[in-house]
Amino acid sequence: MTRGKLPKWVDYGLLPALNLAAAFLVAGLVVLLIGEDPLEAVRILIYGSLGFGEGVGFTLFYATNFIFTGLAVAVAFHAGLFNIGGEGQAYVGGLGVGLACLALDRFVPWWVTFPVAVAGGAIFGAAWAFVPAYLQAKRGSHVVITTIMFNFIASSLMVYLLVNVLAKPGSMQPETRNFEPGGQLPLIRDLLPGLDLGQAPLNLAFVLALAACAFVWVLIWRSRLGYEIRTFGANQSAAIYAGISPVRITIVTMLISGGLAGLMAINEVMGSQTRLLLEFTAGYGFVGIAVALMGRAHPVGIILASILFGMLYQGGAELAFEKPAITRDMIVVIQGLVILFAGALEHLFRPWLQRLFASGHAPEAQAA
């Protein structure tokens, strides 16, 4: 084993676990400083997210959002692109979903509206990613700068549309009318009455998210386009020498990434809120960056990381309710620590593990 290489079980399993343990250790110290028992806080957080049906439903509902945004970031990662515009792409994707539901909900059942809304969310999200992709590919504008700027443009655009164009008549609220049943996704608790999920808004978007994971796995690891994306991300000079067009790969990858982010709106707009409203993305696009990093840009890892962040969202709400001293702001601090160790400090333990495994395999290398 060469220095710097780690076994897959270490890189994809042990290293994220160490980062997560370090994050919870620091968070436990913060909880201890305010006079609360960290172990009791962990118990409440886990029970609140996984201990009863409604908690599980909310955890999976939040995880659905993170799966879509995490996949969006991961696809761009494989091409060496850092798409941090998932928030804006999901926001504009909500416009595509909302327009599809408003146009069809009074005339057709939900299962006819659903594929149109999926197409609308993906197309609008991809379209919002196209301009940053084109500027990166043709003009050399860094995709990090352009995508984050487009987040703010998307926010302003949606405010204008929901106030001046799409607002329901006679209402002062910046939102559309509620969708009729033909524009609402069925909830899992309605499809499976024997499954106790309480009032959790978990809906069929969760199944769509799992299908998106399968799609990304096939795309990245079982298709020619995926091979070109990974080759371009690993070594652009070699990819160009091999005849891979950097312009095509950059634009196509960003379109796929934006489309996946746009699909997040299915869960919120068509599944939970049943209307298009302001700020429904709620920062899910930015959390998707940490999800992709913790999940090592692999669909299975992204599912696991999304469930973890879903537990933090749902269990954190229960923790703030049970322990008034641990405010909602404290929960945000804990979430921020996980993001910090999973993202900015992702390589904190890597050098130590590399030295450990390099020394452990040195006798094998000498014998060989």
PDB file of all heavy atoms in Angstrom, residues 253-265:
ATOM      1  N   THR A 253     -22.573  17.897 -16.752  1.00  0.00           N
ATOM      2  CA  THR A 253     -22.525  17.549 -15.330  1.00  0.00           C
ATOM      3  C   THR A 253     -23.295  18.550 -14.495  1.00  0.00           C
ATOM      4  O   THR A 253     -24.051  18.170 -13.584  1.00  0.00           O
ATOM      5  CB  THR A 253     -21.064  17.478 -14.844  1.00  0.00           C
ATOM      6  OG1 THR A 253     -20.345  16.533 -15.631  1.00  0.00           O
ATOM      7  CG2 THR A 253     -21.008  17.056 -13.379  1.00  0.00           C
ATOM      8  N   MET A 254     -23.133  19.826 -14.783  1.00  0.00           N
ATOM      9  CA  MET A 254     -23.856  20.846 -14.020  1.00  0.00           C
ATOM     10  C   MET A 254     -25.358  20.790 -14.284  1.00  0.00           C
ATOM     11  O   MET A 254     -26.159  21.054 -13.383  1.00  0.00           O
ATOM     12  CB  MET A 254     -23.307  22.225 -14.347  1.00  0.00           C
ATOM     13  CG  MET A 254     -21.963  22.530 -13.701  1.00  0.00           C
ATOM     14  SD  MET A 254     -22.048  22.565 -11.898  1.00  0.00           S
ATOM     15  CE  MET A 254     -23.074  24.015 -11.647  1.00  0.00           C
ATOM     16  N   LEU A 255     -25.752  20.432 -15.498  1.00  0.00           N
ATOM     17  CA  LEU A 255     -27.185  20.281 -15.775  1.00  0.00           C
ATOM     18  C   LEU A 255     -27.774  19.129 -14.962  1.00  0.00           C
ATOM     19  O   LEU A 255     -28.870  19.254 -14.395  1.00  0.00           O
ATOM     20  CB  LEU A 255     -27.410  20.038 -17.267  1.00  0.00           C
ATOM     21  CG  LEU A 255     -27.170  21.218 -18.210  1.00  0.00           C
ATOM     22  CD1 LEU A 255     -27.382  20.796 -19.652  1.00  0.00           C
ATOM     23  CD2 LEU A 255     -28.072  22.390 -17.866  1.00  0.00           C
ATOM     24  N   ILE A 256     -27.053  18.007 -14.899  1.00  0.00           N
ATOM     25  CA  ILE A 256     -27.527  16.871 -14.090  1.00  0.00           C
ATOM     26  C   ILE A 256     -27.573  17.268 -12.617  1.00  0.00           C
ATOM     27  O   ILE A 256     -28.535  16.966 -11.895  1.00  0.00           O
ATOM     28  CB  ILE A 256     -26.623  15.655 -14.298  1.00  0.00           C
ATOM     29  CG1 ILE A 256     -26.700  15.177 -15.753  1.00  0.00           C
ATOM     30  CG2 ILE A 256     -27.012  14.524 -13.355  1.00  0.00           C
ATOM     31  CD1 ILE A 256     -25.694  14.099 -16.107  1.00  0.00           C
ATOM     32  N   SER A 257     -26.534  17.959 -12.156  1.00  0.00           N
ATOM     33  CA  SER A 257     -26.480  18.391 -10.764  1.00  0.00           C
ATOM     34  C   SER A 257     -27.642  19.327 -10.427  1.00  0.00           C
ATOM     35  O   SER A 257     -28.328  19.159  -9.413  1.00  0.00           O
ATOM     36  CB  SER A 257     -25.146  19.085 -10.496  1.00  0.00           C
ATOM     37  OG  SER A 257     -25.068  19.574  -9.177  1.00  0.00           O
ATOM     38  N   GLY A 258     -27.878  20.313 -11.288  1.00  0.00           N
ATOM     39  CA  GLY A 258     -28.987  21.239 -11.054  1.00  0.00           C
ATOM     40  C   GLY A 258     -30.338  20.556 -11.106  1.00  0.00           C
ATOM     41  O   GLY A 258     -31.248  20.887 -10.332  1.00  0.00           O
ATOM     42  N   GLY A 259     -30.478  19.574 -12.010  1.00  0.00           N
ATOM     43  CA  GLY A 259     -31.738  18.846 -12.085  1.00  0.00           C
ATOM     44  C   GLY A 259     -32.025  18.052 -10.827  1.00  0.00           C
ATOM     45  O   GLY A 259     -33.164  18.010 -10.341  1.00  0.00           O
ATOM     46  N   LEU A 260     -30.993  17.426 -10.261  1.00  0.00           N
ATOM     47  CA  LEU A 260     -31.171  16.682  -9.006  1.00  0.00           C
ATOM     48  C   LEU A 260     -31.544  17.617  -7.860  1.00  0.00           C
ATOM     49  O   LEU A 260     -32.398  17.288  -7.031  1.00  0.00           O
ATOM     50  CB  LEU A 260     -29.887  15.924  -8.671  1.00  0.00           C
ATOM     51  CG  LEU A 260     -29.575  14.711  -9.554  1.00  0.00           C
ATOM     52  CD1 LEU A 260     -28.151  14.238  -9.341  1.00  0.00           C
ATOM     53  CD2 LEU A 260     -30.560  13.578  -9.269  1.00  0.00           C
ATOM     54  N   ALA A 261     -30.910  18.779  -7.813  1.00  0.00           N
ATOM     55  CA  ALA A 261     -31.277  19.745  -6.771  1.00  0.00           C
ATOM     56  C   ALA A 261     -32.711  20.216  -6.940  1.00  0.00           C
ATOM     57  O   ALA A 261     -33.450  20.373  -5.960  1.00  0.00           O
ATOM     58  CB  ALA A 261     -30.314  20.940  -6.817  1.00  0.00           C
ATOM     59  N   GLY A 262     -33.130  20.434  -8.193  1.00  0.00           N
ATOM     60  CA  GLY A 262     -34.503  20.871  -8.438  1.00  0.00           C
ATOM     61  C   GLY A 262     -35.539  19.867  -7.990  1.00  0.00           C
ATOM     62  O   GLY A 262     -36.656  20.242  -7.609  1.00  0.00           O
ATOM     63  N   LEU A 263     -35.186  18.584  -8.002  1.00  0.00           N
ATOM     64  CA  LEU A 263     -36.130  17.547  -7.571  1.00  0.00           C
ATOM     65  C   LEU A 263     -36.452  17.633  -6.085  1.00  0.00           C
ATOM     66  O   LEU A 263     -37.453  17.080  -5.638  1.00  0.00           O
ATOM     67  CB  LEU A 263     -35.576  16.159  -7.900  1.00  0.00           C
ATOM     68  CG  LEU A 263     -35.537  15.779  -9.379  1.00  0.00           C
ATOM     69  CD1 LEU A 263     -34.938  14.396  -9.550  1.00  0.00           C
ATOM     70  CD2 LEU A 263     -36.938  15.829  -9.992  1.00  0.00           C
ATOM     71  N   MET A 264     -35.603  18.307  -5.310  1.00  0.00           N
ATOM     72  CA  MET A 264     -35.891  18.465  -3.884  1.00  0.00           C
ATOM     73  C   MET A 264     -37.244  19.128  -3.664  1.00  0.00           C
ATOM     74  O   MET A 264     -37.933  18.874  -2.670  1.00  0.00           O
ATOM     75  CB  MET A 264     -34.791  19.296  -3.219  1.00  0.00           C
ATOM     76  CG  MET A 264     -34.820  19.274  -1.702  1.00  0.00           C
ATOM     77  SD  MET A 264     -34.483  20.890  -0.975  1.00  0.00           S
ATOM     78  CE  MET A 264     -36.092  21.650  -1.034  1.00  0.00           C
ATOM     79  N   ALA A 265     -37.635  19.985  -4.599  1.00  0.00           N
ATOM     80  CA  ALA A 265     -38.892  20.712  -4.456  1.00  0.00           C
ATOM     81  C   ALA A 265     -40.106  19.790  -4.480  1.00  0.00           C
ATOM     82  O   ALA A 265     -41.171  20.154  -3.954  1.00  0.00           O
ATOM     83  CB  ALA A 265     -39.012  21.761  -5.565  1.00  0.00           C
TER      84      ALA A 265
END
